[in-house]
Amino acid sequence: MKITDAKVFVGGPGKNYVTLKIFTDQGVYGLGDATLNNRETLPAAYLKDYLIPCLIGMDPRKSEDIWQFFYRGAYFRGGPVAMAAIGAIDMALWDIKGKIAGLPLYQLLGGKSRDSALLYAHATGHDLEDLMDSVARYVDEGYKAVRVQCGIPGMPTASYATPDGKHADQDYITDFSGIIPKTEIWDTDLYMRFMPDALAEVRARFGPELHILHDVHHRLLPREAAEFAKAVEPVGLFWLEDPTPAEDQSALRLIRQHSTTPIAIGEVFHSIWQCNKLISEELIDFIRVAVTYAGGITPTRRIVDLAGMHHVRTGFHGAPSHSPISMAAQAHLNVWVPNFGIQEYLVLGTDACGALFPSEHSVKDGFSIVSDAPGIGVDFDEKEAAQYSYKPGSHPVVRLKDGTLWNY
Ligand code: CS2
Ligand code: MG
């Protein structure tokens, strides 16, 4: 069996999805997602210029060797661009493997450990009342877990995940007015005074059973993060995400020494080596990698097995920038992985993507139900795709009140 061709498409409804389609000499094709939010043309170029020319003629069944060839075979290894590109190839090869075997991906991984996988939705509000409405909407839809973000009174611009007048189901992450980023102003003191009480009010309003998550989005220093994690202990969070940037990973010890609030990190990681210390020293409770940036199903499986040895559960990244292909790959992993925690959910099964990425994957009462179609179980309609093209977009940048550049 041989790979005969591979094509890359960039675009989608309100998104710049990077979709890879690998063709074989036996008529079977595989699909992968290489979307790297706001840097989408780069994995597309990495695929077209460097990987696809080597891929033609390879045996698609040798997914392990192909992964090693592209990862280990590059002198300058890794990085989010290369790993998203390799990740798309890896997904497409597992998709082909499943189609040849006539089995859904979860069966190739080891079969179902659970019938369906717990999801969390994103609730946001520009003030507390607005936030309560947003949480209530998801609770009414049957969600058992909700990530809670709220605008901070007195903060000069809308803070992370709380755009003016917008709710979480709209795309607040990418500003498609151009490449030059807008600026948001961050004030740690205001956040520290407001957010623990806001989370406590959500707990009081919705009772003990709702799983409440919160994303700090790398905005705190380690000492502040420890204080925050301690302050929110009475809320009983499901997790506190990215309390501080995970570049200086020893800093996470300070949070552990002061609090038992569960910590989730890893959405920007693109290697098992970035996960290794946090997992093996048991400094986190949830690993947040995405199957795209982590380099596909092959390395993600290794990361989750390492995590399983250290009581760390999964909580794969699922921001709207992931296409239904990688979300579906994660849906398969989620029903298999023994140390599953939760899945972030904003895309899978929504109408906007349904025509471009037809699939039978579904969501019911806040759980994802994986389809039994062979492979990843998502198709790609090239005719639909013809109407979309790349649109330049950007994340905001964050500055402190005095102008100092801060962490987005
Ligand atoms: C966020 C992301 O989903 C999350 O937890 O932190 O939405 C993040 O802002 C985006 O992925 C950035 O591209
Ligand atoms: Mg996050």
Side-chain angles (χ1 to χ4, degrees):
M1 189 171 192
K2 280 197 174 8
I3 295 170
T4 51
D5 197 8
K7 285 200 235 168
V8 184
F9 304 82
V10 182
K15 304 280 187 314
N16 286 317
Y17 294 135
V18 183
T19 305
L20 173 70
K21 187 167 182 180
I22 295 181
F23 301 86
T24 68
D25 59 358
Q26 297 187 15
V28 180
Y29 59 86
L31 294 164
D33 175 22
T35 312
L36 183 61
N37 203 21
N38 298 325
R39 293 289 184 270
E40 297 90 348
T41 57
L42 299 180
Y46 198 91
L47 279 162
K48 285 189 237 175
D49 295 347
Y50 301 102
L51 306 190
I52 290 173
C54 303
L55 200 57
I56 311 291
M58 285 181 170
D59 182 341
R61 295 167 299 185
K62 293 168 78 173
S63 50
E64 182 66 58
D65 187 63
I66 292 174
W67 193 89
Q68 299 293 340
F69 179 86
F70 287 130
Y71 175 73
R72 218 173 268 268
Y75 187 63
F76 294 100
R77 290 180 191 176
V81 173
M83 295 310 272
I86 297 172
I89 291 179
D90 188 72
M91 272 177 245
L93 298 182
W94 280 91
D95 193 28
I96 290 170
K97 214 183 283 295
K99 287 171 178 168
I100 303 169
L103 291 172
L105 173 60
Y106 71 80
Q107 294 291 14
L108 305 183
L109 295 168
K112 281 189 184 176
S113 305
R114 59 196 61 76
D115 295 331
S116 58
L118 178 68
L119 301 172
Y120 73 89
H122 281 200
T124 66
H126 38 97
D127 60 28
L128 200 47
E129 257 334 286
D130 190 35
L131 170 64
M132 295 294 185
D133 292 347
S134 179
V135 177
R137 243 173 356 115
Y138 288 111
V139 170
D140 289 348
E141 283 175 33
Y143 282 89
K144 315 289 181 274
V146 180
R147 189 189 82 161
V148 166
Q149 307 296 125
C150 190
I152 315 291
M155 198 89 94
T157 56
S159 71
Y160 169 68
T162 55
D164 287 336
K166 283 191 178 180
H167 277 301
D169 46 359
Q170 292 171 292
D171 189 359
Y172 50 82
I173 292 171
T174 299
D175 171 13
F176 283 112
S177 61
I179 289 291
I180 314 288
K182 296 219 165 72
T183 302
E184 287 182 359
I185 304 297
W186 176 256
D187 185 327
T188 297
D189 292 340
L190 290 178
Y191 175 78
M192 296 286 279
R193 285 203 292 273
F194 175 77
M195 194 51 78
D197 291 344
L199 291 169
E201 287 197 41
V202 174
R203 172 62 74 213
R205 177 85 68 101
F206 291 93
E209 301 214 334
L210 182 69
H211 296 308
I212 300 173
L213 299 79
H214 179 65
D215 191 349
V216 182
H217 224 264
H218 319 107
R219 298 286 162 90
L220 299 178
L221 296 170
R223 192 214 60 76
E224 295 160 350
E227 183 185 326
F228 190 92
K230 194 158 119 185
V232 297
E233 265 174 20
V235 180
L237 289 183
F238 185 94
W239 81 31
L240 184 67
E241 179 180 339
D242 288 331
T244 192
E247 287 155 335
D248 170 16
Q249 299 197 339
S250 302
L252 268 294
R253 282 200 200 106
L254 194 66
I255 304 176
R256 276 289 197 239
Q257 282 157 5
H258 291 278
S259 166
T260 54
T261 293
I263 304 298
I265 290 187
E267 68 178 42
V268 296
F269 290 180
H270 39 83
S271 161
I272 192 168
W273 296 105
Q274 290 172 305
C275 307
N276 185 30
K277 181 182 171 90
L278 293 181
I279 291 174
S280 58
E281 296 188 18
E282 300 178 6
L283 298 174
I284 56 171
D285 301 276
F286 294 91
I287 184 73
R288 293 272 291 133
V289 288
V291 75
T292 314
Y293 329 130
I297 293 154
T298 298
T300 301
R301 226 164 38 139
R302 297 202 172 99
I303 293 170
V304 303
D305 279 342
L306 175 68
M309 292 168 66
H310 293 280
H311 325 287
V312 173
R313 290 186 286 155
T314 59
F316 298 134
H317 190 227
S321 48
H322 294 287
S323 94
I325 298 168
S326 50
M327 290 300 287
Q330 292 184 170
H332 284 276
L333 282 156
N334 288 336
V335 289
W336 155 70
V337 65
N339 46 315
F340 171 73
I342 200 164
Q343 171 65 56
E344 181 177 25
Y345 171 74
L346 285 104
V347 178
L348 192 70
T350 57
D351 293 343
C353 296
L356 185 58
F357 297 101
S359 95
E360 296 299 318
H361 297 291
S362 62
V363 168
K364 192 164 186 285
D365 295 330
F367 287 84
S368 91
I369 299 154
V370 77
S371 110
D372 276 323
I376 292 175
V378 175
D379 211 345
F380 179 67
D381 188 325
E382 289 187 48
K383 283 203 196 82
E384 280 286 324
Q387 66 186 290
Y388 301 115
S389 58
Y390 171 72
K391 293 169 291 304
S394 58
H395 283 123
V397 294
V398 176
R399 290 186 184 274
L400 304 181
K401 278 186 298 185
D402 70 357
T404 309
L405 199 94
W406 204 241
N407 309 310
Y408 176 69

